[in-house]
Amino acid sequence: MRTLSQLTLLAAATAALHGSGFTDAHTSASVVATSTYTQGVSSDGTTSFGYALGGTAYKIVGTTYTPLANLSGGSSSFAYAASSNGSVIVGMGYNSSSVEQAVRWIGAGAPTLLDSGGVYAYSGATGISATGSTIVGYLNTGTPNLDDAFYYRTGAITSLNSFFAGQASSAAGVSADGNLIVGTAGDYLPGPSAANGFIFNITTSALTIVDASAHLPAFATAGLTLTQLTAISGNGLVTVGYAYGDTVSSTPTDALAFSRTSTGTYTALGKLGGGLFGWSIARAVNSTGSVIVGQSLNANSKPEAFVYQTGAMTGLGFLGTGDESDATGVSADGTVIVGYSRITAGGAARHAFVYTNVMLDETEWMSSLNGPGSLVAMTTNLNQQPLEGAHHRPLMSYDRMGKQSQAWATGDFGTSSRQSDRHTTSGEIGVSQTYGDFVLGVAAGHASINQDLLFGGNASISGNYLLAEADYRLPDRESIVSLVLLRGDYDATASRGYVLGGGVLDASRGSTGLKTSSARLRLDGPAQQFTGSFSVTPFASYTATRTTADAYTETGGSFPASFAAQEHTAQEGRLGVTAKVVATPSTSLLFTAEWIHRFDDAGNGLSGTNLATSSAFAVGGIAPTVNQARFGFDVDHRLSADTLVNFSVHAAGIGPSSDVSAALSIRRAF
C-alpha cells in the first residue's frame, strides 16, 4: 500500500467494502459476542482493539482475536488506546466493587491499575504515547460530573485540576512523544452549557484553549458554541474534534467536525449529507494530520464512517447490508482504518472492521491518463505526426521535376520509449498544384497511436485527417512562407491502470471521441549558398494545436471514473537549419537540426466523478517538456524524370516529439 500523499482519492464505495479493502474483523475473530466495537488501531496498523458487547476488552492482530483479562473479581473491561506497536493497551475495567478504573495491559497478562493506591473515586485511560511511557485519561475525586484530566508517567498520576479552576475536564489523546495532551473542559461534561477543547504541554505546562466557533464564522452563526477535542496527530501539529450546540442528544444532531493546526488554522471538515442538515464528528487522525476519520450523517440520514483527506470527506459505507458505521482509528501512515458497522439494516449486531488496501493516492489513481499519457496529449502528438513526417518541410522544397502538378503517397512512423512507450503511424495521399510563386496542396490520411500507460494500462487512438498547405516563394527567390492546416477526427479507447493496496493492479476502461486542429506557419530562408552543391537554410515555425475530448464514462475495475470533457491548446515554436548537399544530379541529402520550445502550460488536468464513491475529483495537469532538440536526415532520390522518392529519419531528445520517427513518400509529377 502506498503511503498517502498530498492529493488523494478518498476511495471506499459500498461495493468496494465487500472486497479486499474491507475486512469483517468480528467474523475473522470468531468471537462469541454478537457485537464488537473497535476503538482504535496501533500506529503501525498491526493491532486493533476495542470491546465486545457486554464489556470484554480485546485486541486483534491480523485475524487473531485475543480477549483481554478483567481486573481480579471484575465484571467487564474496555480497551481505548494502544502504543505504536500494540504491545501496551490502555482502557478501563470495572473492579470487584463495580467501580471503573484506569488500567493497562502489557502483552496477554492481567491488567494493572494506574491508580494503584486507590486515591480516586474512579478513573479511565483514553490515550497513550508511542512508547507507552505517557498515558492520559480522566479521574474523579468524588464530586459527581466534575472529572479531571490526568497524565500518568513513571508510575505516578498527575491531575490537571489546577489548570481548569473548578471545571470538569477529560483527556482524549496524546502526541506520539507524550508531551501534548488534548481533551475537553467544561462546566458539566455530561451536558455542559460551556465547553472548550484544550491542548496541554506537559513540558512547559502551557495550556491552549480551543474554541472552534470563535475561529469558524459558520460555526458561530449556527450556534455551535461548544467544542470537544478528540485526538491529536502523532507529530502534535494537528488536533481534531467537533463543535456542537445540542447538549440533549447522546450524539449531537448539529455537530460539525473540524481540525486545527499548531499555527491556529481551523478547518471545517463538512459532512457527508451536505445541505443544511446532518452532522459529523472527527474521532481520530493519523501521524501527520493528513488523514482524519470519524462518523457523519450521510445523504440518506444514516450514520456512516468517513475518511477526510485533502479537503474532501468520503463515506466508507457499511458491512453487509448495514446502515450504520463508525471509523474510530487510523494508522500513522493513514493506510489502515478501523471501526465498526451494523451488518444488517436496523439490526442490533455490530461488527468490528479493519479497512485497508483500497485507499489510493489521487494523483497516482489518475497518473495513467495524465501528462504524456493523457488522451488529449496523445491526440495532439498524433496530429503532429504528419507535420513531423512527410510535411516536416514545405511542399515547395521538393523537386518539381519540371511539372506543375504532383501526387504523392506517404507513410510515417514514430516511436518513443523514454518519456512514454508509444508507437505512431500515419499514411496519406495528396495532390498539389503550382501557380507561379504559389503551391497549393491537399491530402487525406489515416493515423493511429498505441501507447502503454502506467500500471499496466494502455490506450489506442485512430482516425482520419485532412490536410491543406499553401506555400509562397518570396521575391528574394530563396525564402518560402508556408501555412499548413490539419484537421483530425479520432476515436480513443483506454484501459486506465492503477494500483490497489498490496501492489495489486486494476484497470477501468472507457472510450471517447477527440477532435484536433493544427495550424503551422513557417518561414524558410533565405538560403546561404556556400558551394554549387552545398547550402544552408534557416527556418522558424509556430504551431498551435487545439484538441478536445468528449466526456466519457469508464466501466470495470474497482474505481471507474466519469470524465468531464477536456480541451487543451498546445503551442510550440521551432528554430532550425537545413543543410542541403546535392550528391548527384538525381540525389540530394538534407541534414536538419531544430530546437523546439513549448509555450503552453499544464492545462486544466483531469476532472470528473469517482463512480465508486460518487465523489468529484480534480487532478492538476502535467506540463509538457518545455525544450527539446531534434535532428533529421533526408534523402531525395529521383527514380525517373517525373518520380521522386523521399526518405527521412529524425531523432529527438526527451519530450513530446517521438524519440525516433521516419517517413517514406513517393511523388509523381504530372
Side-chain angles (χ1 to χ4, degrees):
M1 181 65 204
R2 283 170 167 73
T3 301
L4 301 177
S5 68
Q6 292 181 343
L7 291 178
T8 49
L9 167 66
L10 312 175
T14 301
L17 300 183
H18 300 289
S20 62
F22 204 95
T23 301
D24 186 336
H26 179 106
T27 301
S28 301
S30 300
V31 295
V32 176
T34 58
S35 295
T36 43
Y37 300 83
T38 292
Q39 296 298 295
V41 65
S42 59
S43 295
D44 64 8
T46 62
T47 305
S48 57
F49 46 84
Y51 58 90
L53 185 66
T56 300
Y58 67 78
K59 66 177 180 179
I60 299 176
V61 181
T63 59
T64 301
Y65 170 90
T66 302
L68 301 176
N70 292 333
L71 288 167
S72 178
S75 58
S76 57
S77 54
F78 304 82
Y80 293 133
S83 61
S84 62
N85 62 5
S87 61
V88 182
I89 296 176
V90 298
M92 182 269 287
Y94 284 95
N95 62 18
S96 58
S97 300
S98 297
V99 175
E100 58 187 281
Q101 297 288 332
V103 295
R104 172 178 58 186
W105 290 272
I106 299 178
T112 58
L113 290 169
L114 300 189
D115 180 21
S116 56
V119 176
Y120 303 106
Y122 60 82
S123 60
T126 56
I128 186 171
S129 62
T131 63
S133 60
T134 302
I135 300 170
V136 301
Y138 60 89
L139 56 80
N140 187 275
T141 57
T143 303
N145 301 316
L146 283 179
D147 297 347
D148 297 323
F150 77 83
Y151 66 88
Y152 173 93
R153 281 183 170 179
T154 61
I157 289 177
T158 300
S159 171
L160 300 185
N161 174 273
S162 61
F163 292 91
F164 295 105
Q167 287 185 305
S169 62
S170 178
V174 60
S175 59
D177 63 8
N179 290 329
L180 297 176
I181 303 172
V182 298
T184 304
D187 56 354
Y188 180 76
L189 287 185
S193 59
N196 286 312
F198 71 81
I199 304 169
F200 180 76
N201 189 314
I202 295 176
T203 303
T204 64
S205 294
L207 181 69
T208 301
I209 299 301
V210 176
D211 180 359
S213 66
H215 295 85
L216 293 168
F219 283 16
T221 300
L224 309 183
T225 58
L226 308 177
T227 297
Q228 288 207 24
L229 287 184
T230 56
I232 185 171
S233 60
N235 61 13
L237 299 181
V238 177
T239 54
V240 299
Y242 60 97
Y244 64 104
D246 175 14
T247 60
V248 177
S249 307
S250 57
T251 298
T253 58
D254 55 3
L256 289 178
F258 73 93
S259 66
R260 177 193 181 274
T261 68
S262 58
T263 59
T265 299
Y266 289 72
T267 301
L269 306 188
K271 49 193 175 182
L272 290 177
L276 299 176
F277 304 101
W279 49 266
S280 60
I281 294 175
R283 302 201 188 277
V285 59
N286 76 328
S287 178
T288 63
S290 61
V291 183
I292 301 169
V293 300
Q295 186 182 41
S296 176
L297 203 68
N298 65 19
N300 296 318
S301 298
K302 305 297 182 184
E304 183 178 353
F306 74 75
V307 58
Y308 177 93
Q309 292 175 209
T310 60
M313 179 183 290
T314 301
L316 298 182
F318 313 93
L319 283 173
T321 60
D323 57 0
E324 175 193 5
S325 62
D326 194 0
T328 55
V330 60
S331 62
D333 66 0
T335 64
V336 179
I337 299 172
V338 299
Y340 54 87
S341 169
R342 273 182 175 160
I343 58 174
T344 59
R350 292 166 175 82
H351 285 190
F353 68 74
V354 177
Y355 180 80
T356 59
N357 296 334
V358 178
M359 296 175 64
L360 306 177
D361 179 282
E362 186 177 68
T363 302
E364 275 194 11
W365 180 56
M366 280 296 157
S367 63
S368 182
L369 278 183
N370 205 352
S374 77
L375 296 181
V376 169
M378 280 187 276
T379 308
T380 299
N381 291 336
L382 185 58
N383 223 46
Q384 281 284 98
Q385 180 68 22
L387 298 180
E388 292 193 324
H391 295 276
H392 73 280
R393 50 193 268 209
L395 288 173
M396 192 174 278
S397 69
Y398 291 99
D399 189 348
R400 285 174 51 188
M401 294 175 282
K403 305 290 180 67
Q404 298 299 107
S405 304
Q406 281 192 10
W408 69 84
T410 70
D412 298 316
F413 170 78
T415 183
S416 293
S417 60
R418 290 176 293 176
Q419 190 175 61
S420 59
D421 190 356
R422 71 174 186 260
H423 303 280
T424 309
T425 59
S426 65
E428 69 176 45
I429 57 173
V431 294
S432 65
Q433 180 68 36
T434 300
Y435 302 94
D437 290 331
F438 288 92
V439 172
L440 302 178
V442 293
H446 179 83
S448 65
I449 184 171
N450 291 284
Q451 182 162 320
D452 292 338
L453 304 177
L454 295 177
F455 310 125
N458 59 81
S460 61
I461 305 172
S462 63
N464 302 315
Y465 65 86
L466 295 174
L467 180 146
E469 180 172 343
D471 297 351
Y472 173 64
R473 190 177 300 279
L474 294 177
D476 65 8
R477 314 310 298 167
E478 295 177 345
S479 303
I480 300 171
V481 174
S482 61
L483 175 65
V484 179
L485 303 177
L486 194 153
R487 169 72 174 182
D489 195 343
Y490 303 101
D491 293 314
T493 60
S495 175
R496 180 176 60 87
Y498 44 89
V499 181
L500 302 179
V504 177
L505 294 177
D506 202 355
S508 299
R509 297 162 185 83
S511 60
T512 188
L514 299 104
K515 293 180 174 58
T516 185
S517 301
S518 297
R520 184 186 73 192
L521 182 64
R522 173 169 166 151
L523 172 64
D524 288 73
Q528 302 299 310
Q529 196 77 36
F530 291 93
T531 67
S533 62
F534 177 67
S535 63
V536 175
T537 303
F539 64 85
S541 69
Y542 173 81
T543 305
T545 301
R546 183 176 183 273
T547 304
T548 61
D550 297 335
Y552 71 99
T553 299
E554 293 178 324
T555 59
S558 301
F559 295 98
S562 176
F563 290 89
Q566 305 169 50
E567 68 154 346
H568 185 70
T569 299
Q571 303 173 68
E572 66 165 40
R574 300 190 182 211
L575 292 174
V577 294
T578 300
K580 181 178 180 180
V581 177
V582 179
T584 70
S586 60
T587 303
S588 295
L589 307 178
L590 293 88
F591 302 88
T592 303
E594 60 185 329
W595 188 256
I596 308 168
H597 179 80
R598 287 287 291 265
F599 297 99
D600 52 306
D601 56 17
N604 295 326
L606 301 169
S607 63
T609 302
N610 170 14
L611 299 179
T613 64
S614 298
S615 59
F617 69 85
V619 178
I622 299 174
T625 301
V626 176
N627 295 304
Q628 185 179 19
R630 190 167 182 259
F631 303 92
F633 171 66
D634 281 51
V635 178
D636 288 354
H637 179 68
R638 191 185 296 184
L639 295 177
S640 65
D642 53 10
T643 303
L644 179 74
V645 171
N646 169 261
F647 172 75
S648 65
V649 61
H650 286 80
I654 296 175
S657 293
S658 296
D659 294 348
V660 178
S661 60
L664 179 65
S665 66
I666 184 166
R667 298 173 181 273
R668 180 80 172 180
F670 60 93

